Amino acid sequence: MDEYKKILVPVDESNQSYDALKEAVSIAQRNEAHLYILTVTDMSVATVDARLIQYAKEVGEENAKRTLDKASQMVSGKIDHTTKKIEGSPKVTIVQFAKEAGIDLIVMGATGKSAVERVLVGSTTSYVIAHAPCNVMVVR
């Protein structure tokens, strides 16, 4: 059985990401691990003009803050954790962060976006599974 010391859980506003967070907290407690809670503001679709980019940035920042606040409340007092907010392509950013931080395990929801968005931009979870430098646990 692997021992995990650095666990990454990417969260968005989906119920599945909060289910993944609960699972990650449980794993972190058993392993006395540090939990990294990551939210990524996807700016890749906001390339039309400066106003759209600024609006997407503001909405993304509000959503990220709300998501991280909720996630921190769920974890507070339970385990050692760090919250991070990054702009970029979620699937690429999650893998890149895992590599840079020396993550041992990524715990994430099976889906977080609508079916239409998954078809248009591809599955973040599938990409992470294929490119992650560590084990990936998918929570349904």
Side-chain angles (χ1 to χ4, degrees):
M1 178 178 268
D2 288 326
E3 186 172 304
Y4 302 110
K5 292 299 174 193
K6 292 183 175 183
I7 300 170
L8 171 62
V9 59
V11 294
D12 56 22
E13 294 182 292
S14 70
N15 289 334
Q16 284 193 333
S17 77
Y18 292 116
D19 291 343
L21 177 60
K22 291 175 193 170
E23 184 68 29
V25 167
S26 177
I27 295 167
Q29 286 174 322
R30 287 193 307 268
N31 288 271
E32 297 179 4
H34 186 88
L35 182 65
Y36 293 85
I37 304 169
L38 176 68
T39 185
V40 182
T41 302
D42 188 356
M43 298 303 293
S44 62
V45 295
T47 58
V48 177
D49 69 15
R51 291 178 307 208
L52 182 56
I53 291 170
Q54 184 58 35
Y55 175 75
K57 200 171 207 172
E58 290 169 7
V59 169
E61 288 292 315
E62 289 173 20
N63 290 345
K65 182 181 181 336
R66 187 172 48 250
T67 300
L68 285 177
D69 286 347
K70 182 176 177 181
S72 290
Q73 289 172 2
M74 291 172 66
V75 174
S76 185
K78 294 181 182 179
I79 66 161
D80 186 30
H81 70 282
T82 301
T83 58
K84 295 289 278 182
K85 179 174 48 174
I86 302 174
E87 288 181 3
S89 164
K91 54 189 168 187
V92 174
T93 302
I94 292 165
V95 171
Q96 182 178 356
F97 182 86
K99 288 177 182 176
E100 291 171 2
I103 297 298
D104 302 312
L105 175 67
I106 300 171
V107 180
M108 61 190 303
T111 60
K113 297 181 178 181
S114 71
V116 172
E117 287 176 305
R118 280 194 308 276
V119 169
L120 293 175
V121 298
S123 169
T124 298
T125 303
S126 295
Y127 182 90
V128 171
I129 290 168
H131 296 90
C134 59
N135 289 339
V136 178
M137 175 184 281
V138 179
V139 177
R140 292 193 176 276

